[in-house]
Amino acid sequence: MFDDLLRLSPDEILSVGDESCAIRDLADARFLAVVSAYAHHHTELDVPAGAAELVGCERLKVYGGEGCPGVGEFAVLELGCRFGLSPGAASDLVSEVLALQYRLPRTWARVMAGEAIPWRARRIARACMSLSQEAAAVVDAKVESLVNSLTPRRLMKIVKAAMMEADPALAKAAADLAARSRGVWVGQSDNSGTRTAAVRASTGDIARFDAVVQDVAETLGALGDTGSVDERRAKALGWLADPWAVIELRNERRRTNSPSNTPTNLTEAANSTEAAESADAAGSADCAGSGGCAEDRLAQRLADVKERARARDREAARVDRTSGGARGSGGAVGSGGVHTMYLFLSDVTLAAGEGVVRVEGFEPHLASQVRELLGHDKVVVKPVIDLRENVPVDAYEIPLRVRERVRLLNPVSPFPWSNAETTLRTDLDHIRPYVKGGPPGQTRVDNLGPLSRTPHRAKTHGGWRYRRLPDGAFEWVTRNGTVYRVDHNGTRRISTPRATHVLQTIRPARVRRRRRRATVEAVT
């Protein structure tokens, strides 16, 4: 498509790049103007008198903060669907555009004049969302001329300083809140079977936690783990999830270092060395092609440690049952509760033990990585849930067995461009409305769709419609008549109402002329 660029010189290619950036920024500014105009068309609700008082009907919502007008919620859903945005991303877009226009008018004017890069201006608007309108105006006056002249990092530093100057009380409250906030946050898993976690706690607690992690890492090293310190510290988290396992791991290290395992004289040491060398020589043939026996011995040793931990766990649970829970633990120390893991895999993967497994709530894993996910928990294999079963019931209420199948069939809400994962708390909507006293089996798997609350309200009260197609996909028709298909491959727009307005090109004349001249030069 762009082979003509290969005929240009490096300087000419960079000139075309300049032109492309200018066109992109003008297009982005035009798009922000489109969003603004669309929002202003929906600052009033076109509903019958009294309908706005009904629970679930469309409401005006203030996007962008103090000073911005209210916009119809379902209109923002329509905008997001049209431009391939999730409901949350569409809400963010409208918020940033209206915040720019009403709270940062100087920066907005520069964006509309082509003097400020739109995406940088949106970042400023997002950062100032919590400020009052007066404080936002102070920030606007300080940064409107700097949007294009500073790197994004330096620009946001100046924005932060201006925010602190504009509203010192809010800045202090935010700092105090950050100092008091505590928590543990777990990030999303990646394709390599790893996840990140962040902890914010008191200095003393973090120091003690760090010491325990380091102790377990050193214990693993003493037992023969040849991984780096960082790798062993990461493995320590898995051990800390089971207190009994940590106790047994430390006991194993003590047994290794006990005097009874240390030679008492030179003769015993020599005999011990000869025995070890003989054993190594005898087993060298078996270990040659398996990556070494040291790793196998370590794996077996750690497996024995975990088995002893499980035995202590079972004994603790037995004592609890015998004493009627008098210890107050409510269960075994290392049990960690009951966890259910849903695995989606083919019969070939199940038979071979190799292949790709989709694990609910995580990224795809190799079959060999599933063992790490299971960790030290006891495993109970449940019968396979046949998702082809429709499981109809007559009542309006949805039983857990039906809810579970709907969730497994639709791991993500089937609303256009939605990112919302389906959970047991997600709204399940009757695609064909439930009729009290109607035919039996209205509540069944193929008549239920998992929807977030706002899309659910739009379908019930906002004129949106959808249906399940014979192939399992969902077809949505929005309030203005646009049709979308949502299936396991994502969202596609099927049809759009014919627009009556013919769009004008947004490219300025000077850019058009420069491009034509560059093209002529390239040809000659």
Side-chain angles (χ1 to χ4, degrees):
M1 181 185 296
F2 302 109
D3 291 343
D4 60 312
L5 293 175
L6 299 177
R7 299 195 297 268
L8 302 180
S9 68
D11 286 342
E12 290 171 333
I13 292 174
L14 292 178
S15 296
V16 174
D18 284 338
E19 175 186 323
S20 300
C21 288
I23 294 172
R24 177 202 62 199
D25 291 342
L26 286 170
D28 287 348
R30 173 75 168 177
F31 180 67
L32 297 191
V34 166
V35 173
S36 171
Y38 178 84
H40 282 86
H41 268 288
H42 296 88
T43 54
E44 295 182 1
L45 297 179
D46 185 16
V47 294
E53 303 299 325
L54 296 177
V55 175
C57 283
E58 185 174 18
R59 299 186 297 254
L60 290 178
K61 180 177 178 181
V62 175
Y63 296 88
E66 178 186 319
C68 297
V71 179
E73 294 174 287
F74 301 161
V76 175
L77 287 180
E78 182 90 48
L79 179 142
C81 289
R82 189 63 171 266
F83 300 126
L85 302 174
S86 69
S91 175
D92 291 343
L93 172 63
V94 173
S95 296
E96 291 159 7
V97 169
L98 294 182
L100 273 172
Q101 188 172 6
Y102 286 91
R103 293 162 55 82
L104 305 168
R106 297 186 180 189
T107 304
W108 171 259
R110 286 184 176 268
V111 170
M112 292 297 101
E115 299 171 0
I117 298 175
W119 68 264
R120 293 188 180 186
R122 287 180 60 185
R123 285 190 63 182
I124 297 172
R126 189 184 317 132
C128 296
M129 210 76 74
S130 61
L131 296 178
S132 66
Q133 192 169 8
E134 293 76 13
V138 173
V139 176
D140 189 28
K142 287 183 176 294
V143 303
E144 51 104 4
S145 62
L146 304 175
V147 176
N148 282 13
S149 59
L150 296 177
T151 63
R153 185 186 180 103
R154 289 183 60 195
L155 177 62
M156 294 313 296
K157 284 185 176 181
I158 291 176
V159 169
K160 184 177 180 180
M163 290 171 60
M164 296 173 68
E165 180 182 341
D167 196 336
L170 180 62
K172 184 177 185 305
D176 292 342
L177 179 62
R180 292 194 307 270
S181 64
R182 308 285 173 89
V184 178
W185 302 273
V186 179
Q188 294 183 342
S189 61
D190 58 23
N191 293 329
S192 63
T194 60
R195 301 180 82 174
T196 58
V199 181
R200 187 181 182 89
S202 69
T203 301
D205 288 343
I206 291 292
R208 286 184 287 273
F209 175 77
D210 180 66
V212 173
V213 169
Q214 185 64 25
D215 177 69
V216 175
E218 291 175 357
T219 298
L220 291 173
L223 295 178
D225 191 326
T226 58
S228 67
V229 174
D230 286 339
E231 290 173 337
R232 285 185 275 121
R233 283 173 62 88
K235 293 176 183 177
L237 295 182
W239 287 89
L240 290 174
D242 186 348
W244 283 131
V246 175
I247 293 172
E248 285 298 329
L249 187 68
R250 288 171 169 170
N251 290 341
E252 182 71 12
R253 182 180 183 181
R254 294 190 189 98
R255 281 191 287 270
T256 302
N257 297 333
S258 65
S260 61
N261 292 331
T262 304
T264 57
N265 53 55
L266 293 177
T267 302
E268 184 178 345
N271 292 337
S272 181
T273 301
E274 290 179 6
E277 290 176 349
S278 299
D280 288 345
S284 60
D286 295 334
C287 298
S290 62
C293 285
E295 292 84 355
D296 296 337
R297 287 195 295 270
L298 175 62
Q300 184 58 52
R301 194 173 185 181
L302 296 181
D304 292 342
V305 168
K306 294 176 182 178
E307 181 55 39
R308 290 197 297 272
R310 284 192 285 269
R312 295 186 66 168
D313 191 17
R314 290 192 294 269
E315 177 61 19
R318 186 190 66 78
V319 172
D320 269 358
R321 290 194 299 270
T322 303
S323 62
R327 293 194 317 167
S329 64
V333 174
S335 63
V338 178
H339 306 282
T340 301
M341 180 183 297
Y342 293 97
L343 306 179
F344 301 82
L345 66 163
S346 67
D347 54 350
V348 176
T349 300
L350 185 62
E354 297 179 355
V356 178
V357 178
R358 184 170 69 82
V359 185
E360 186 185 39
F362 299 90
E363 296 295 324
H365 281 62
L366 296 175
S368 58
Q369 295 174 318
V370 173
R371 181 176 299 176
E372 286 188 0
L373 285 176
L374 295 174
H376 314 304
D377 285 346
K378 296 175 286 294
V379 178
V380 177
V381 178
K382 294 184 177 181
V384 173
I385 299 176
D386 188 351
L387 298 180
R388 293 171 298 182
E389 295 184 25
N390 211 3
V391 193
V393 295
D394 297 337
Y396 176 81
E397 293 75 21
I398 303 168
L400 183 60
R401 68 183 187 277
V402 175
R403 183 176 290 274
E404 187 177 31
R405 282 172 167 77
V406 173
R407 179 167 63 96
L408 295 176
L409 279 170
N410 305 279
V412 177
S413 171
F415 187 77
W417 305 107
S418 177
N419 290 325
E421 294 187 357
T422 304
T423 70
L424 290 176
R425 295 184 297 274
T426 301
D427 290 356
L428 293 190
D429 173 62
H430 286 78
I431 300 174
R432 292 184 177 179
Y434 182 88
V435 179
K436 188 174 182 179
Q442 297 182 71
T443 299
R444 60 183 187 275
V445 173
D446 67 356
N447 193 42
L448 295 171
L451 300 177
S452 300
R453 183 58 52 85
T454 303
H456 191 179
R457 291 171 45 226
K459 180 262 181 180
T460 305
H461 301 288
W464 292 57
R465 307 187 309 278
Y466 77 122
R467 64 188 179 108
R468 187 190 292 271
L469 301 176
D471 61 358
F474 291 83
E475 183 182 82
W476 280 87
V477 181
T478 70
R479 184 163 55 184
N480 80 338
T482 305
V483 181
Y484 297 90
R485 174 189 169 93
V486 182
D487 56 24
H488 64 281
N489 290 319
T491 301
R492 285 183 295 164
R493 191 195 307 175
I494 302 301
S495 65
T496 306
R498 181 179 298 275
T500 57
H501 176 66
V502 179
L503 295 177
Q504 299 294 326
T505 179
I506 62 170
R507 199 182 310 160
R510 59 182 181 83
V511 175
R512 266 203 316 274
R513 286 196 299 271
R514 185 170 63 202
R515 183 172 184 177
R516 184 165 57 247
R517 184 164 59 250
T519 304
V520 171
E521 292 172 354
V523 173
T524 58

